[in-house]
Amino acid sequence: MKIPFSPPFINESVIQEVVDSLSSGWITTGPKVSRLENRMANWLGVDKALCVNSASAGMQLMLEWFGVGPGDEVIIPAYTYASTATAVLHCGAIPVMVDADPNSFELSINNVEKAIGPKTKAIIPVDIGGWPCNYDALFQLVNREDVQKLFTPQHPHQEKLGRILIMADAAHSIGSKYKGRPVGTLADLTVISLHAVKNITSAEGGVVLFHLPAPFQNEEEYRKNKIISQNGHSKNVHEKALNDGWRYDIVALGKKINMTDLGAAIALAQLDQWEEMQARRNEIFHQYAQALKSIKGIRLPQFADDLRQGNGHLFMIQLVDASAEIRDQLISEMKDLGIALNVHFVSLPQFTYFQSIGVQPENYPHAVQLSNSEVSLPIYPQLSDEQIQFLLKSLIFVLSKLGIG
Ligand SMILES: *Cc1c(COP(=O)(O)O)cnc(C)c1O
């Protein structure tokens, strides 16, 4: 039996919606991107949503919007995917990585606090595996009088906010909640990924959710960034086609990071089936948790607690006392049985590139240790009951063979 790690959810409705775009002759940014933006904003309870071609591009766009540049620092977890850091680097600023707490994949608020200095312009919390960070604690921190005093605004948007920006890397956490509030309403700006492996996809894509406090006008900031995302054109090609033909202006230094209608069609059709897709994910998550709970030596992910509700984007297991070799052996033996496991993530300080710019793994012992002991199980709505049973049976067998039981 073959169990791939994370195939995209493509059924007849998804195909129909894409075919509809193809037949309409309108394949790039147009009516479906607008529909997706409105739908995301309404669903997640924010003023505005901007669709772009990746979460990576969305994060970089918004850091630039906030005036983050050379000499500035942005605090990020060491335990994340590379683009949390590269978004900062592409602005010319320094990603200040913070170590994890022992035995937790979550952002360490204590370590964030220690990393704040006069150059800190933003914090990018990452909702790993769809599990929301502790946003109340983060906001308490950036609003604390001594922390606000440290903040040195150097750009009109920084002046206007008057404190460190919180921009969530919510690449994993579409639909998750914190204190009953959906991801999107938890940070000043939130960037969701619609990459092919995420819960909802547009093949490649990202959504920036605008939830900036007054006196910001989210509508206005959305409009400015929309224009930048389409090469600085005052109107996109669809608007031109609808309106007065060829004439347009270039009104800002743009980038080419717009989403296509073909991609938006996939995401719209999936959103129509969100309830069912999410319900199946939850069911699988609980089946895994139930079947594995008595195994000593592993730590299972949480699905919900008093504050939070995850979305089962990943099922992250920590092999608490095992070496990286044992973890690798587990992955390899499961692969021989036809089951693809994965690692989320190799921590950033372990990568050649980040080491080449001076990031030292010795300074991130917990992130490195967590990374070496992590393994993620396949979890997606298309998994059949037979596949789930086979996966669990195989996993329990291989774990016990490796001395974890
Ligand atoms: C997938 C992912 C991203 C990047 O998303 P793209 O849409 O592929 O740019 C960013 N951060 C995390 C944590 C991710 O897992």
Side-chain angles (χ1 to χ4, degrees), residues 73-82 84-86 89 94-100 107 111-112 115 347-351 353-355 357-360 363-364 367:
E73 294 178 354
V74 175
I75 298 174
I76 67 166
Y79 203 90
T80 183
Y81 176 64
T84 322
T86 55
L89 288 164
I94 297 169
V96 174
M97 296 179 194
V98 299
D99 198 11
L107 175 69
N111 290 342
V112 168
S347 74
L348 302 185
Q350 291 170 277
F351 285 117
Y353 174 70
F354 295 109
Q355 289 171 6
I357 59 168
V359 179
Q360 296 175 334
N363 295 337
Y364 303 90

Side-chain angles (χ1 to χ4, degrees), residues 213-350:
F216 283 105
Q217 301 258 335
N218 286 298
E219 172 91 34
E220 186 187 328
E221 305 309 336
Y222 158 83
R223 217 174 324 111
K224 286 193 265 185
N225 283 289
K226 176 92 180 169
I227 286 170
I228 294 172
S229 77
Q230 54 197 31
N231 260 341
H233 281 233
S234 55
K235 294 179 230 164
N236 68 35
V237 271
H238 191 248
E239 287 159 346
K240 276 202 303 172
L242 288 178
N243 299 317
D244 54 355
W246 65 272
R247 200 177 289 278
Y248 65 91
D249 192 10
I250 299 291
V251 294
L253 173 58
K255 299 161 159 312
K256 192 63 168 61
I257 56 168
N258 51 310
M259 181 185 281
T260 68
D261 261 26
L262 283 183
I266 303 173
L268 282 167
Q270 290 186 346
L271 281 177
D272 284 339
Q273 306 170 76
W274 165 263
E275 299 276 341
E276 299 92 294
M277 288 169 75
Q278 188 59 48
R280 179 65 181 157
R281 241 176 221 282
N282 298 357
E283 205 173 274
I284 299 168
F285 196 101
H286 289 118
Q287 279 191 45
Y288 286 172
Q290 187 62 25
L292 301 172
K293 70 173 189 227
S294 59
I295 299 181
K296 292 184 193 69
I298 66 175
R299 201 174 58 83
L300 295 175
Q302 277 177 288
F303 187 75
D305 68 6
D306 295 346
L307 291 182
R308 298 172 261 204
Q309 193 192 316
N311 65 356
H313 173 59
L314 297 174
F315 196 91
M316 298 170 75
I317 295 177
Q318 189 195 351
L319 309 176
V320 183
D321 299 313
S323 63
E325 290 71 35
I326 293 282
R327 189 274 312 272
D328 295 352
Q329 209 175 327
L330 170 66
I331 296 175
S332 148
E333 297 211 13
M334 291 291 279
K335 182 168 175 256
D336 293 342
L337 295 168
I339 302 165
L341 305 184
N342 213 331
V343 173
H344 294 91
F345 290 98
V346 176
S347 74
L348 302 185
Q350 291 170 277

